[in-house]
Amino acid sequence: MKSTKITYYTTTGIITAMMIFIAFETLLKPEVKVSMEHLGFPDYFRIEIGITKLIGAVFLWLPVRLLKESAYIGFAIMFASASLAHYMVGDPVGKVFTGFIFLAVLIVSYVSHSKIQEIK
Protein backbone atom coordinates (compact mmCIF):
# COMPACT_ATOMS: atom_id res chain seq x y z
CA MET A 1 0.00 0.00 0.00
CA LYS A 2 2.81 2.40 0.89
CA SER A 3 4.58 1.92 -2.46
CA THR A 4 1.29 2.43 -4.30
CA LYS A 5 0.74 5.74 -2.51
CA ILE A 6 4.29 6.84 -3.27
CA THR A 7 3.77 5.93 -6.93
CA TYR A 8 0.45 7.79 -7.02
CA TYR A 9 1.73 10.97 -5.40
CA THR A 10 4.93 10.98 -7.45
CA THR A 11 3.29 10.46 -10.83
CA THR A 12 0.39 12.80 -10.07
CA GLY A 13 2.87 15.41 -8.87
CA ILE A 14 4.85 15.07 -12.09
CA ILE A 15 1.73 15.45 -14.22
CA THR A 16 0.52 18.42 -12.16
CA ALA A 17 3.85 20.25 -12.23
CA MET A 18 4.25 19.56 -15.94
CA MET A 19 0.72 20.79 -16.75
CA ILE A 20 1.12 23.98 -14.72
CA PHE A 21 4.50 24.73 -16.30
CA ILE A 22 3.27 23.98 -19.82
CA ALA A 23 0.03 25.93 -19.24
CA PHE A 24 1.96 29.09 -18.41
CA GLU A 25 4.24 28.55 -21.40
CA THR A 26 1.21 27.97 -23.62
CA LEU A 27 -0.41 31.18 -22.44
CA LEU A 28 2.64 33.44 -22.26
CA LYS A 29 5.38 32.36 -24.69
CA PRO A 30 5.22 33.63 -28.27
CA GLU A 31 7.07 30.50 -29.45
CA VAL A 32 4.08 28.38 -28.48
CA LYS A 33 1.84 30.52 -30.67
CA VAL A 34 4.15 29.77 -33.60
CA SER A 35 4.19 26.07 -32.70
CA MET A 36 0.38 25.92 -32.57
CA GLU A 37 0.21 27.61 -35.97
CA HIS A 38 2.68 25.01 -37.26
CA LEU A 39 0.30 22.29 -36.06
CA GLY A 40 -2.62 24.03 -37.77
CA PHE A 41 -4.45 25.24 -34.66
CA PRO A 42 -5.96 28.72 -34.30
CA ASP A 43 -4.68 31.05 -31.58
CA TYR A 44 -7.85 30.86 -29.49
CA PHE A 45 -7.27 27.10 -29.15
CA ARG A 46 -3.86 27.79 -27.58
CA ILE A 47 -5.53 29.94 -24.92
CA GLU A 48 -8.26 27.36 -24.34
CA ILE A 49 -5.70 24.57 -23.95
CA GLY A 50 -3.60 26.63 -21.53
CA ILE A 51 -6.57 27.35 -19.27
CA THR A 52 -7.76 23.74 -19.49
CA LYS A 53 -4.37 22.46 -18.37
CA LEU A 54 -4.52 24.64 -15.25
CA ILE A 55 -8.05 23.51 -14.41
CA GLY A 56 -7.15 19.85 -14.99
CA ALA A 57 -4.08 20.15 -12.75
CA VAL A 58 -6.34 21.31 -9.91
CA PHE A 59 -9.00 18.66 -10.63
CA LEU A 60 -6.43 15.84 -10.29
CA TRP A 61 -6.08 16.66 -6.59
CA LEU A 62 -9.74 17.14 -5.72
CA PRO A 63 -11.49 14.34 -3.80
CA VAL A 64 -14.49 14.58 -6.17
CA ARG A 65 -14.43 11.44 -8.33
CA LEU A 66 -16.18 12.99 -11.35
CA LEU A 67 -13.79 15.94 -11.52
CA LYS A 68 -10.69 13.80 -10.97
CA GLU A 69 -11.68 11.29 -13.65
CA SER A 70 -12.62 14.11 -16.03
CA ALA A 71 -9.10 15.47 -15.66
CA TYR A 72 -7.58 12.04 -16.34
CA ILE A 73 -9.73 11.61 -19.45
CA GLY A 74 -9.02 15.14 -20.67
CA PHE A 75 -5.28 14.80 -20.21
CA ALA A 76 -5.26 11.38 -21.90
CA ILE A 77 -7.06 12.82 -24.93
CA MET A 78 -4.76 15.85 -24.95
CA PHE A 79 -1.55 13.77 -24.83
CA ALA A 80 -2.72 11.38 -27.54
CA SER A 81 -3.94 14.27 -29.70
CA ALA A 82 -0.64 16.12 -29.28
CA SER A 83 1.27 13.06 -30.49
CA LEU A 84 -1.07 12.66 -33.44
CA ALA A 85 -0.82 16.35 -34.36
CA HIS A 86 2.99 16.24 -34.33
CA TYR A 87 2.96 13.04 -36.38
CA MET A 88 0.57 14.48 -38.97
CA VAL A 89 2.73 17.53 -39.67
CA GLY A 90 5.89 15.41 -39.93
CA ASP A 91 7.61 16.55 -36.75
CA PRO A 92 10.59 14.55 -35.41
CA VAL A 93 9.94 11.29 -33.60
CA GLY A 94 10.94 12.86 -30.27
CA LYS A 95 8.03 15.30 -30.43
CA VAL A 96 5.63 12.53 -31.43
CA PHE A 97 6.65 10.24 -28.55
CA THR A 98 6.67 12.98 -25.90
CA GLY A 99 2.88 12.84 -25.70
CA PHE A 100 2.99 9.07 -25.32
CA ILE A 101 5.54 9.34 -22.50
CA PHE A 102 3.30 11.80 -20.66
CA LEU A 103 0.37 9.48 -21.31
CA ALA A 104 2.28 6.57 -19.74
CA VAL A 105 2.97 8.62 -16.59
CA LEU A 106 -0.71 9.61 -16.48
CA ILE A 107 -1.80 5.97 -16.77
CA VAL A 108 0.49 4.96 -13.90
CA SER A 109 -1.04 7.75 -11.80
CA TYR A 110 -4.57 6.61 -12.65
CA VAL A 111 -3.89 2.92 -12.01
CA SER A 112 -2.19 3.61 -8.68
CA HIS A 113 -5.08 5.88 -7.65
CA SER A 114 -7.55 3.12 -8.55
CA LYS A 115 -5.59 0.62 -6.44
CA ILE A 116 -5.67 2.98 -3.46
CA GLN A 117 -9.43 3.41 -3.84
CA GLU A 118 -9.96 -0.38 -4.01
CA ILE A 119 -8.10 -0.84 -0.74
CA LYS A 120 -10.21 1.82 0.98
Side-chain angles (χ1 to χ4, degrees), residues 4 8 11 14-15 22 58 71 73-74 79 86 90 93 98-99 102:
T4 304
Y8 168 70
T11 55
I14 289 168
I15 293 292
I22 293 172
V58 171
I73 291 166
F79 296 149
H86 284 290
V93 174
T98 300
F102 292 156

Side-chain angles (χ1 to χ4, degrees), residues 6 14 40 47 58 63 66 107:
I6 291 169
I14 289 168
I47 296 164
V58 171
L66 179 63
I107 290 169

Side-chain angles (χ1 to χ4, degrees), residues 38-97:
H38 166 71
L39 294 171
F41 296 119
D43 191 47
Y44 68 83
F45 187 65
R46 173 185 62 85
I47 296 164
E48 182 180 326
I49 288 291
I51 293 168
T52 304
K53 288 175 183 178
L54 290 172
I55 293 168
V58 171
F59 280 8
L60 281 181
W61 293 98
L62 295 179
V64 181
R65 182 176 176 223
L66 179 63
L67 297 178
K68 183 183 288 285
E69 294 207 359
S70 296
Y72 278 116
I73 291 166
F75 285 151
I77 291 169
M78 185 172 24
F79 296 149
S81 296
S83 290
L84 178 62
H86 284 290
Y87 174 77
M88 295 306 291
V89 297
D91 280 344
V93 174
K95 284 192 174 187
V96 174
F97 279 105

